[in-house]
Amino acid sequence: MTNSPASATQNQALLDALNRCVAACEHCATACLGEEHIKHMTDCIRLDRDCADICALVARLVARGSEHAKHLIKECIEVCTKCANECAKHNHPHCQQCAAACRACAEACREYAG
């Protein structure tokens, strides 16, 4: 990775999307734990946690310019997409907001990966 101005801008857009996704997933998982029918939310909670973790890891790797970031971005796209699809199944506002953040993050990762 290079530290040219163009890549710094691209990195910042990706970092912003990754960090928004982490926050949305953490919020969604916590809110799901308070839902009345929590057993229906277990897949959502699991994916929220996985998605938050992979996004946080990728953000750290991108921020430090690690050569491993591009490889893990592919996994991040897959997890974000799965999380978005699961969250979209639920009508709770926190799930819908999480689905949107996950979709945006997956798209930012695709743009970054080229």
Side-chain angles (χ1 to χ4, degrees):
M1 285 188 209
T2 62
N3 289 325
S4 68
S7 68
T9 301
Q10 187 179 29
N11 286 355
Q12 191 58 55
L14 177 59
L15 290 170
D16 290 346
L18 288 162
N19 289 321
R20 280 191 299 272
C21 194
V22 170
C25 287
E26 292 288 358
H27 173 72
C28 186
T30 300
C32 285
L33 289 170
E35 293 296 337
E36 184 176 339
H37 301 288
I38 192 168
K39 288 202 182 267
H40 294 117
M41 306 306 294
T42 55
D43 288 340
C44 189
I45 295 165
R46 284 186 186 116
L47 280 165
D48 284 339
R49 294 176 69 213
D50 287 350
C51 192
D53 286 348
I54 190 77
C55 289
L57 175 59
V58 169
R60 287 192 301 273
L61 294 174
V62 167
R64 72 175 69 127
S66 172
E67 64 187 64
H68 302 288
K70 288 220 180 206
H71 170 72
L72 288 176
I73 281 174
K74 293 175 186 173
E75 184 68 21
C76 191
I77 293 166
E78 181 180 330
V79 175
C80 283
T81 301
K82 285 182 179 181
C83 191
N85 291 340
E86 178 60 33
C87 285
K89 295 177 185 177
H90 307 286
N91 290 326
H92 309 294
H94 56 85
C95 288
Q96 294 300 312
Q97 292 164 357
C98 187
C102 288
R103 283 188 209 103
C105 188
E107 183 57 33
C109 286
R110 281 186 204 95
E111 289 177 16
Y112 181 84

